[in-house]
Amino acid sequence: MKAAGLFGPHTISPWSPAGPGLSDPKGPGQPGEEKPIPGVDTAGAALLKGRPLARQLLEKAPEHQRQQFSKASRNASPDAFNILAGILQDYTDARLTESEGIASASTKRAGKIAHLQKVWQEAKVFLESHADISNPGKQTASLRMYWGDLKPAIQEVKDAMVALKGQVADADNALGGSDAAWLDYVFPGRQMGSNQRKVSYNDIRTADAIVLSFCEEIQAAVESDNHKFKNFMTEMTSAQQEHKGLLREIAALSKR
């Protein structure tokens, strides 16, 4: 997603990521809840009518900027509109940069989840082919016997989980440790070195549930990021509309 139209180079404003969003019912600028903005008189307040986001952002702007806006609005100067337009553009640039980061990270995590599920499925099928399904509690799938064939797939599963481990705190130690520590995490109750380990069909099912639960936790984080991204897009649309209105006001004043 690239900046287009009225959006210029990305500049992070120190206030834009903080504070309530436009949709926050407790945020300033909501109908019936408007309070005087320090440093802004009635003339400035009149210019802010119908511009809830500009009002909200001006309230969080530095005091000298509010004073400049108030002075310009008293003098009916186009500078008042320019100040609001600049504030809105800084806000949109900052939100755009942040939303691009969220979208990129979300896409990468989603791809890693898909990869993890794929390679784990391959490892699980290999293990199940050596397990006794008719006696699911019997430990027949020897990791020692099949380790040469299994290790590349298991290592790939571990690597995929390590790439995502920051989202799942209880996996940090196991995923950052040895192969044996990782296997103890995925196959709980089998506290042995990987070369001595035998697992049952039930153990494989338990491991499958652990890996799938891991993926679900990451997916929940992805969905949360996607929701945040959509909120950002809504706020930026509102900012665009207010910005265009201000540009029309500036153009009209320049023709007088």
Side-chain angles (χ1 to χ4, degrees):
M1 181 175 55
K2 299 295 183 185
L6 56 89
F7 302 123
H10 299 164
T11 55
I12 300 294
S13 177
W15 38 256
S16 60
L22 181 63
S23 59
D24 188 338
K26 296 181 181 179
Q30 299 301 317
E33 294 187 5
E34 289 189 357
K35 298 178 182 179
I37 300 175
V40 176
D41 58 17
T42 54
L47 290 182
L48 292 170
K49 290 290 185 182
R51 299 186 173 96
L53 183 55
R55 186 185 195 284
Q56 177 180 328
L57 298 177
L58 183 65
E59 187 172 25
K60 292 187 283 187
E63 182 179 356
H64 73 273
Q65 198 167 31
R66 293 197 301 270
Q67 291 175 346
Q68 289 172 354
F69 168 76
S70 191
K71 180 180 179 180
S73 61
R74 284 196 302 271
N75 298 331
S77 168
D79 288 346
F81 294 105
N82 284 321
I83 290 169
L84 294 181
I87 289 175
L88 283 167
Q89 180 161 343
D90 284 348
Y91 169 85
T92 307
D93 288 345
R95 276 295 196 236
L96 181 60
T97 299
E98 191 172 354
S99 63
E100 285 177 338
I102 291 172
S104 176
S106 180
T107 299
K108 289 178 182 178
R109 279 202 296 269
K112 289 175 182 177
I113 292 170
H115 176 69
L116 171 56
Q117 290 173 327
K118 176 179 179 293
V119 296
W120 169 248
Q121 182 65 22
E122 293 171 355
K124 186 183 73 165
V125 167
F126 180 90
L127 281 169
E128 287 178 339
S129 69
H130 296 92
D132 187 350
I133 298 179
S134 64
N135 190 353
K138 186 178 180 180
Q139 297 171 14
T140 56
S142 171
L143 298 187
R144 178 179 59 184
M145 184 179 300
Y146 305 118
W147 191 245
D149 294 324
L150 184 62
K151 186 173 183 179
I154 287 291
Q155 188 63 48
E156 193 171 1
V157 172
K158 179 186 175 183
D159 290 345
M161 292 180 78
V162 167
L164 292 162
K165 75 172 186 176
Q167 299 294 323
V168 184
D170 65 353
D172 282 353
N173 291 335
L175 296 182
S178 64
D179 288 346
W182 181 82
L183 287 166
D184 286 334
Y185 170 74
V186 176
F187 294 96
R190 299 285 173 264
Q191 304 297 321
M192 300 175 290
S194 60
N195 290 334
Q196 303 168 3
R197 188 184 303 260
K198 287 186 178 182
V199 295
S200 67
Y201 181 73
N202 285 344
D203 294 329
I204 297 167
R205 294 293 296 270
T206 297
D208 188 44
I210 288 172
V211 175
L212 290 180
S213 176
F214 183 97
C215 290
E216 287 171 0
E217 290 192 55
I218 306 299
Q219 184 61 42
V222 169
E223 290 173 1
S224 177
D225 281 348
N226 289 341
H227 181 70
K228 186 176 182 180
F229 176 82
K230 289 177 182 178
N231 286 344
F232 278 11
M233 293 299 100
T234 299
E235 291 179 9
M236 283 196 291
T237 298
S238 297
Q240 283 178 310
Q241 292 172 347
E242 288 191 25
H243 194 283
K244 288 177 180 178
L246 287 166
L247 294 181
R248 287 194 294 268
E249 295 278 4
I250 293 169
L253 286 171
S254 67
K255 293 178 182 179
R256 292 178 184 176

